[in-house]
Amino acid sequence: MDLFTLFKGAKIINLEKTYFEQKSCFEKLFKIQNEVINCTNKFIRINAMECEYISPTCMIILSSVGLIAKEKSKDIKIIFKKDTKFHKFLVEKGFIELPGNNGCDKNYIPLNTLTKEEEIIPIISDLIKLSPLNKLNEKDKDYIKSRLYEIPINSLNHSMSSSGILYCGYYRKKSEFYFSIYDNGIGIPNSVRNYKNDNTISSYEALKWALESGNSTKQNEFARGIGFSLLEEFRVLYKGKITIISEDVIYESTTKGTTIKNLINKVPGTLFTFKIMI
């Protein structure tokens, strides 16, 4: 029985075989986001039967369709084969929690949502505890916590998301540490436009302004740009990568430099992925 017969009446969206950590793959999943947003059918099924690999950033983009569907009162499910390479990846990286897993052998923070500031530090502490970072001295661990804290706190303060913040963290190849968050709020460009009372500001210029040290769209608070400069300092120290995607722009900062590029599809909210080499 094929999917069209099994899920008769549902909108079926097919995933490709692989999704890597690159702009072209992000774009494909943003297209799926927009399909879900604009779909008039209440029932949506994501067909992942042929999917074998999905990168950290791509996985959180795919997961975000659940938040979007919930706000749109749509019934959405991801369909995949059990005991395949893709299924094992989802289990190993915490995107699927199996019954009876007591967490002793985990090297990830499961995909989840946070809504309160006090939830952030325990999440980051768990990331460090479950990773090679736990071997560092307390001073270095506190330094790492303070830098990683800037990612979700900025999202909570600025996104105006009604569904909380989607987050996950894990380790790849025992040396690559990923921490990703996603909110489906108003996005960085709109936050800047509202603050400046100027709807003509491009998403490119808005994101660029928001990341400059000292700039903030909130009064009497730690500026977003200062928080970002601390993260950038941390990225340089650990030879990592920062990816920020909001509205129709993508910002990437690596050891090779920084770039801001436009996207084909608009992204609801803001996605932030932070990678460091351990």
Side-chain angles (χ1 to χ4, degrees), residues 8-278:
K8 187 177 181 181
K11 166 72 174 177
I12 297 176
I13 299 174
N14 297 310
L15 291 190
E16 295 184 5
K17 187 175 181 179
T18 55
Y19 292 89
F20 297 106
E21 198 76 3
Q22 58 194 38
K23 180 175 175 286
S24 60
C25 293
F26 301 160
E27 288 274 28
K28 292 174 184 177
L29 290 165
F30 293 141
K31 183 179 179 182
I32 290 176
Q33 274 189 335
N34 280 274
E35 281 189 69
V36 172
I37 291 170
N38 298 318
C39 181
T40 57
N41 196 327
K42 180 181 178 181
F43 300 95
I44 303 170
R45 299 294 178 261
I46 306 294
N47 174 21
M49 299 286 276
E50 303 301 322
C51 192
E52 294 182 358
Y53 173 79
I54 188 163
S55 78
T57 303
C58 288
M59 187 63 210
I60 206 164
I61 296 171
L62 178 62
S63 302
S64 72
V65 300
L67 292 179
I68 294 168
K70 183 178 179 181
E71 287 205 338
K72 301 285 184 180
S73 298
K74 295 176 181 177
D75 181 305
I76 187 167
K77 288 182 175 63
I78 300 178
I79 311 301
F80 56 88
K81 296 176 184 176
K82 291 188 67 176
D83 301 322
T84 60
K85 185 177 179 180
F86 182 58
H87 178 246
K88 290 176 182 177
F89 171 84
L90 296 178
V91 173
E92 287 173 0
K93 302 311 177 187
F95 297 115
I96 295 177
E97 283 275 60
L98 294 180
N101 190 340
N102 60 13
C104 293
D105 57 350
K106 289 182 181 177
N107 66 344
Y108 60 82
I109 293 297
L111 184 70
N112 212 328
T113 57
L114 68 89
T115 57
K116 299 175 182 178
E117 186 174 335
E118 55 264 31
E119 297 172 335
I120 299 174
I121 289 297
I123 291 166
I124 294 172
S125 296
D126 282 347
L127 275 171
I128 293 173
K129 183 170 62 177
L130 296 168
S131 78
L133 291 171
N134 197 42
K135 297 177 182 179
L136 298 175
N137 60 53
E138 290 304 315
K139 182 179 179 181
D140 288 341
K141 283 193 280 191
D142 286 343
Y143 170 77
I144 291 171
K145 288 177 186 177
S146 67
R147 293 331 185 234
L148 294 179
Y149 182 81
E150 295 305 318
I151 304 173
I153 194 62
N154 270 327
S155 187
L156 279 176
N157 286 340
H158 296 266
S159 70
M160 298 172 62
S161 172
S162 59
S163 306
I165 298 169
L166 199 64
Y167 69 89
C168 67
Y170 68 80
Y171 299 81
R172 183 173 177 265
K173 298 180 180 178
K174 297 183 179 180
S175 62
E176 296 178 4
F177 162 70
Y178 289 88
F179 184 47
S180 296
I181 68 168
Y182 177 87
D183 69 74
N184 64 337
I186 65 171
I188 295 174
N190 272 329
S191 181
V192 173
R193 292 183 192 114
N194 292 344
Y195 173 73
K196 290 178 169 288
N197 195 27
D198 184 354
N199 289 327
T200 66
I201 300 174
S202 70
S203 51
Y204 179 98
E205 290 300 327
L207 184 59
K208 185 178 177 182
W209 180 89
L211 297 180
E212 290 177 2
S213 183
N215 290 342
S216 175
T217 57
K218 296 278 188 180
Q219 296 296 324
N220 303 316
E221 77 162 31
F222 194 59
R224 179 196 293 269
I226 294 175
F228 179 76
S229 67
L230 294 176
L231 272 175
E232 180 62 20
E233 172 191 299
F234 185 43
R235 182 204 65 74
V236 171
L237 181 63
Y238 282 90
K239 299 179 176 60
K241 179 181 180 180
I242 292 173
T243 303
I244 302 174
I245 305 173
S246 195
E247 200 165 285
D248 61 350
V249 285
I250 176 172
Y251 170 93
E252 293 182 304
S253 177
T254 70
T255 54
K256 296 180 180 180
T258 62
T259 59
I260 302 181
K261 298 178 181 178
N262 285 103
L263 300 168
I264 298 171
N265 295 291
K266 279 195 173 184
V267 181
T270 300
L271 172 70
F272 193 117
T273 293
F274 190 73
K275 182 185 87 168
I276 60 173
M277 303 302 293
I278 302 170

